[in-house]
Amino acid sequence: MKSLGYAAQSKTSPLAPFHFDRREPGPKDVVVAIDYCGICHSDIHQVRDEWGGSLYPMVPGHEIVGHVTAVGSDVHTFKVGDLAGVGVTVETCMVCENCKAGAEPYCMRGMVGTYNAKDYAGNLTYGGYSDCIVAPEHYVYSISPKLDLAAVAPLLCAGITTWSPLRHWKVDKNSRVGVVGLGGLGHMALKFAHSLGAYTVQYTTSEGKRNDALKLGADEVVLSKDPEAMAKHAGSLDFIVDCVSAPHDIDAYLSQLRLNGSLCLVGLPDQPVAASPFALVTNRRSLCGSMIGGMKETQEMLDYCADHTIVADIELIGYDKLPEAYDRVVKGDVKYRFVLDGKTLKG
Ligand code: NAP
Ligand code: ZN
């Protein structure tokens, strides 16, 4: 299939229009015409090869929503015209114990990312900064027409990546939850923790985001650069979702956990984290991590969002604004997710 997208040809070249071929859809595939695609900080890490091993040409984008334009003969849950989403995963082995348990991101053969990956047939995958995508039905989600479609796009990565740990660590109305970093992931973590009934504390380096954090559901906002404010909350939280994209002081957040509390990293800075053993043994704390989420729990998250009218707060932009958007994301200056408008994609 002939496709048009925006690609980076190397870690230093700007994203530019790119014509390429996608595989022809097979019997189990769904073809989705892309109406909107969110800009995740992971796109920037990978375009700039900050994690190493990037594959070019790279068409980023894994927060994809649109409508179905074709389905294979074995596809049962979608028909032409349906709204549909594709997230971070497009192939897994489906037979290992993790896949069978619905934990496909942890597939023991290795999950295939929507872009910057090779599928099991050895072909480079291309993401959602493009006009369409072909994906097996198992990795395509149903989207409710009740929600603003552009604002649903970020749920496919920022949404599920924060929903999954909150559910896994059983956050509910009895929990005291911290969210570190008010960006794309952070603002979804805040909305979900609040919606699940938890007492929620937002940590930010940006004083200017305080009022937004309160509006988004925070019970309290802590400026993490203020040692007095940090000391006041020491030993008070059960669970923290750390959504920060750059290296930062982990011990400062471990100190906020009470007995048996866990600090879950979802942010992926390009440097190892250093944690003091004393910060961990105090209060029997755990340091853990979580990667996106399984297919079934992603659909459950989307259905929960439809029932509770939860979407991302977005800035809708055209493809011509991509370089500026990347710079602003890196500066922490986005409220709170950029979404590309597919109508502005031109070759
Ligand atoms: P984002 O929108 O850029 O948000 C990151 C936030 O971190 C910023 O808004 C800022 O919040 C804070 N921050 C940035 N630089 C900082 C610094 N030097 N020190 C302290 N705080 C800083 O990014 P995102 O799209 O939410 O992604 C966040 C991270 O999650 C990225 O590393 C991304 O690759 C990763 N990620 C992981 C998964 C997974 O499966 N685990 C999935 C998707 C993304 P304040 O202004 O409030 O301080
Ligand atoms: Zn992402």
Side-chain angles (χ1 to χ4, degrees):
M1 285 179 63
K2 296 280 172 221
S3 297
L4 169 64
Y6 261 58
Q9 300 293 336
S10 76
K11 67 177 179 184
T12 50
S13 60
L15 289 155
F18 174 60
H19 293 269
F20 62 104
D21 290 318
R22 290 194 181 275
R23 66 182 166 80
E24 290 299 322
K28 293 185 186 324
D29 285 327
V30 177
V31 183
V32 180
I34 299 172
D35 292 313
Y36 303 101
C37 184
I39 297 179
C40 179
H41 205 121
S42 301
D43 302 347
I44 303 174
H45 289 309
Q46 291 175 91
V47 163
R48 298 182 177 174
D49 198 19
E50 290 169 356
W51 296 336
S54 282
L55 304 172
Y56 303 93
M58 186 190 301
V59 177
H62 56 207
E63 294 185 335
I64 298 166
V65 290
H67 55 280
V68 174
T69 53
V71 294
S73 53
D74 289 349
V75 171
H76 302 296
T77 39
F78 293 96
K79 58 180 190 320
V80 170
D82 285 350
L83 295 179
V86 176
V88 181
T89 310
V90 291
E91 190 172 25
T92 56
C93 80
M94 314 262 287
V95 295
C96 74
E97 58 183 293
N98 295 356
C99 282
K100 281 187 180 156
E104 291 94 335
Y106 312 102
C107 171
M108 293 158 88
R109 182 170 168 185
M111 73 106 175
V112 177
T114 302
Y115 68 87
N116 190 26
K118 292 234 172 112
D119 64 19
Y120 292 164
N123 299 311
L124 194 56
T125 58
Y126 295 114
Y129 297 9
S130 61
D131 54 1
C132 69
I133 189 160
V134 182
E137 179 181 26
H138 186 68
Y139 308 97
V140 182
Y141 307 102
S142 292
I143 306 288
S144 167
K146 284 195 325 202
L147 300 174
D148 171 16
L149 188 61
V152 167
L155 301 180
L156 277 304
C157 175
I160 184 59
T161 301
T162 51
W163 172 262
S164 182
L166 291 170
R167 299 294 287 161
H168 181 79
W169 275 273
K170 301 193 170 29
V171 163
D172 63 14
K173 64 179 182 359
N174 300 313
S175 314
R176 291 178 62 91
V177 172
V179 176
V180 186
L182 191 57
L185 268 57
H187 94 292
M188 290 312 308
L190 181 52
K191 287 190 186 207
F192 286 144
H194 174 70
S195 174
L196 292 167
Y199 187 89
T200 307
V201 181
Q202 177 70 49
Y203 294 85
T204 180
T205 58
S206 311
E207 177 58 34
K209 294 181 183 174
R210 181 181 291 275
N211 285 339
D212 285 353
L214 294 169
K215 280 191 216 132
L216 290 163
D219 294 288
E220 285 184 77
V221 182
V222 174
L223 190 63
S224 50
K225 293 184 274 196
D226 175 354
E228 266 176 46
M230 292 295 280
K232 199 175 136 218
H233 291 80
S236 68
L237 301 176
D238 299 296
F239 188 66
I240 297 176
V241 195
D242 183 331
C243 306
V244 175
S245 51
H248 57 289
D249 180 4
I250 295 293
D251 287 349
Y253 297 104
L254 285 171
S255 76
Q256 308 290 288
L257 293 170
R258 67 182 178 193
L259 185 65
N260 299 329
S262 299
L263 169 60
C264 182
L265 300 177
V266 293
L268 291 166
D270 59 1
Q271 299 295 319
V273 294
S276 156
F278 291 93
L280 284 165
V281 301
T282 304
N283 277 349
R284 196 163 51 197
R285 294 165 176 143
S286 300
L287 176 60
C288 50
S290 183
M291 186 160 72
I292 30 174
M295 307 304 115
K296 187 160 167 279
E297 68 176 335
T298 302
Q299 189 63 58
E300 285 165 3
M301 178 271 311
L302 288 165
D303 296 345
Y304 181 93
C305 288
D307 288 347
H308 294 80
T309 320
I310 295 175
V311 289
D313 286 26
I314 64 161
E315 296 191 39
L316 189 63
I317 58 166
Y319 274 82
D320 58 322
K321 293 282 188 296
L322 257 174
E324 193 182 309
Y326 271 34
D327 289 344
R328 283 186 50 201
V329 170
V330 171
K331 283 190 221 142
D333 172 27
V334 48
K335 298 196 167 184
Y336 277 89
R337 194 60 135 187
F338 285 115
V339 173
L340 290 164
D341 185 347
K343 290 191 286 294
T344 66
L345 175 61
K346 293 189 180 69

